[in-house]
Amino acid sequence: MCRNLSKYGVFFLFLALSGFIFLLRNIHTVENWNCHTVSSLYQLQSRIQSSFLTVHLPTFSRNRTFCAHLGQKASPEDELEERYLLDSIEWPGPAPRPAPLSLRQTSDPAHSLFTIVPNRRWREWRLGDQLEALVQIHDFQGRPKRYGGDFLLARLHSPELGAAVAGTVVDHRNGIYSALFPLLWVGPARVEVTLVHSSEAVAVLKQLREERPDRVFFKSLFRLGFLSETTVCNMCLPSDQQPLCNYTDLYTGEPWYCYKPKMLSCDNRINHAKGGYLKHLLTNKEALLFQSGVNIKVQIPASGADGVDVLPQEGVAQEENDTLKPEHFQFAPSGYYYEDSWRPLGGVGMRRFVDPSAIALCLRNKVVNMYGDSTVRQWFEYLIAAVPELKELNLHSPKNVGPFMAVDIPHNIILKYRCHGPPIRFSTVLSSELRYVSNELDGLSGGPNTVVVLSIWAHFSTFPVEVYIRRLRHVRRSVVRLLGRAPGTLVVVRSANLQALDQEVSLYNSDWFSLQLDAVLKAMFKGLNVLMVDAWEMSSAHHLPHALHPPPAIVRNMVDMVLSYVCPEKKRNPT
Ligand SMILES: *[C@@H]1O[C@H](CO)[C@@H](O)[C@H](O)[C@H]1NC(C)=O
Ligand SMILES: *[C@@H]1O[C@H](CO)[C@@H](O)[C@H](O)[C@H]1NC(C)=O
Ligand SMILES: *[C@@H]1O[C@H](CO)[C@@H](O)[C@H](O)[C@H]1NC(C)=O
């Protein structure tokens, strides 16, 4: 009897102890998770990152097709379009790729120059003319470059008039570039040319994009009861290293994977979040190509005059300057600033919505559905700040992540925001709220009271362009279906914008990546009955510094453009 008791006693003691140890192990994680202070989350994140960095991060095979061609097979037409799109954004560069150069042989904005080319009337410029500036790029030793591929931005502006327009840069592939501008206002106009990245830096970015789609990684938390585990996720993960959970979307076939947790099942996924950024992507030599103030976004000086004075058109009264249509120009911008207001060329007739009640009247009886990244969340925030009756509901959503909703009962307005699906790089999105835009669009009835606003670009910069093309193809298909079943639906697409760059940001989010995505986006939605808000030109022409989230002065112009599309000016009766 006594012997029996002690035998059971040892057994129970063992049970109790192991239970206690189990609890201790897990309370730690659960506690950290429930405690939503920034510091403990940060600690958790950095702990996860550091442990994964050494143990779990996958090694990728270095070939460009690996990530891009997962998912459903494209139709022959889709493949043809993809080839056309990729050809259209083909970037020239040092060919063949140079042996590792020393910094001294690479493009140096300080040694480079631009010159305004005299026109056929020598130096007399008139409204509607095209202005050309020739840019000669030199290296750090002052020698002219002999190949193209530098990433330049050009703008023509007049601070006195609040006027500005983005220029078109043509690469002659010999170290010389033309920056072309239509002359859209009478008065002073100054040229500004900026080297964003040298051709050598672009070559590095290109290689990173094709070979290191893992340089931003993601994670998911899996939880059941007391058990919780976090694993690494991405659009593609090498399957030979550990078992995977396959979260490929059933409707679109968009691929998404996480490593399978050791104890829990794939069904226990709770959320999706940005994991972190891989470091040490550059060699010491490559790092010299990305120096703030040296060769990232540095202005190129003018040799001679940097501007012209534009006269009215000969024999044309100033009032008739409305005749300036995009088709008059070889390289037409989508619009320009005048008196700090954006004037689209063609398309929508721009109205100003200064009065909050004018905005509310415009949106009366509308449901506005915004989908995408934080650059369209800015529009949501702008509208709820601008219209006092538009009250945001507390949906208990995580800050900055959403989904969000605001309503104006008197005007019967609903405003909604939801982020796009993976690879969204937000802090933590619940799995249940992780939706693909195209599936959301398929769930809309649409109609003249429905406005759809899309902004999908910023979180795709670390992947090969094929990944972005595939995503937009799915979204476009849903837009076409929506416009087919409910033709009155108003669809607005916001393009990419420029942002502040330093070395680190360049490797993940460079404007060069955005430029390429932007070109694809505009080409893919061309000809559809949608409004394209050209955030690229609006940020590139504007005098304020580039920012991932453009300043209110630009956002106001963007939202005014959307409202002008939703509520066009009533046509005057012909007299
Ligand atoms: C790319 O890598 C994947 C995965 O390792 C492999 O299956 C595929 O054959 C490779 N493609 C090429 C073109 O090398
Ligand atoms: C076009 O003409 C109108 C009317 O004279 C004037 O107010 C406006 O400033 C002109 N626009 C430009 C860009 O010069
Ligand atoms: C993941 O699931 C999709 C859809 O069911 C399938 O097409 C794909 O082959 C799966 N991926 C892997 C690696 O098994």
Side-chain angles (χ1 to χ4, degrees), residues 116 162 323 335 565:
I116 292 177
T323 54
Y565 183 62

Side-chain angles (χ1 to χ4, degrees), residues 108-116 133-139 142 144 152 175-178 191 193 195 299-305:
D108 175 15
H111 276 101
S112 304
L113 291 168
F114 77 82
T115 320
I116 292 177
L134 268 187
V135 189
Q136 169 71 64
I137 301 293
H138 291 100
D139 66 16
L152 303 177
I176 297 174
Y177 300 77
S178 291
V191 172
V193 181
L195 178 94
Q299 281 189 22
I300 290 174
S303 89

Side-chain angles (χ1 to χ4, degrees), residues 449-491:
N449 290 323
T450 303
V451 182
V452 168
V453 184
L454 306 173
S455 174
I456 306 166
W457 59 277
H459 300 237
F460 287 82
S461 55
T462 49
F463 294 97
V465 179
E466 291 91 331
V467 167
Y468 188 61
I469 295 177
R470 181 180 60 213
R471 180 63 54 92
L472 289 188
R473 196 187 288 141
H474 294 144
V475 173
R476 185 180 57 186
R477 206 171 283 153
S478 296
V479 166
V480 168
R481 279 196 287 255
L482 175 62
L483 292 174
R485 70 176 173 273
T489 314
L490 296 162
V491 180

Side-chain angles (χ1 to χ4, degrees), residues 151-153 194-198 295-298 498 501 510-512:
F151 176 18
L152 303 177
L153 284 177
T194 303
L195 178 94
V196 183
H197 292 303
S198 65
N295 49 14
I296 299 180
K297 279 202 186 171
V298 174
L498 293 144
L501 296 182
S510 166
D511 289 339
W512 183 77

Side-chain angles (χ1 to χ4, degrees), residues 239 244 246 248 250 257:
S239 58
L244 298 178
N246 183 350
T248 298
L250 290 178
Y257 298 92

Side-chain angles (χ1 to χ4, degrees), residues 61-66:
S61 54
R62 304 274 176 261
N63 75 40
R64 51 175 288 128
T65 55
F66 179 66

Side-chain angles (χ1 to χ4, degrees), residues 94 96-106 147 200 204 207 283-286 289:
R97 268 207 75 196
L101 286 172
S102 84
L103 179 69
R104 294 183 312 162
Q105 295 160 280
T106 69
Y147 50 80
E200 294 80 11
V204 171
Q207 201 171 351
T283 64
N284 290 343
K285 221 167 196 174
E286 287 168 340
L289 300 172

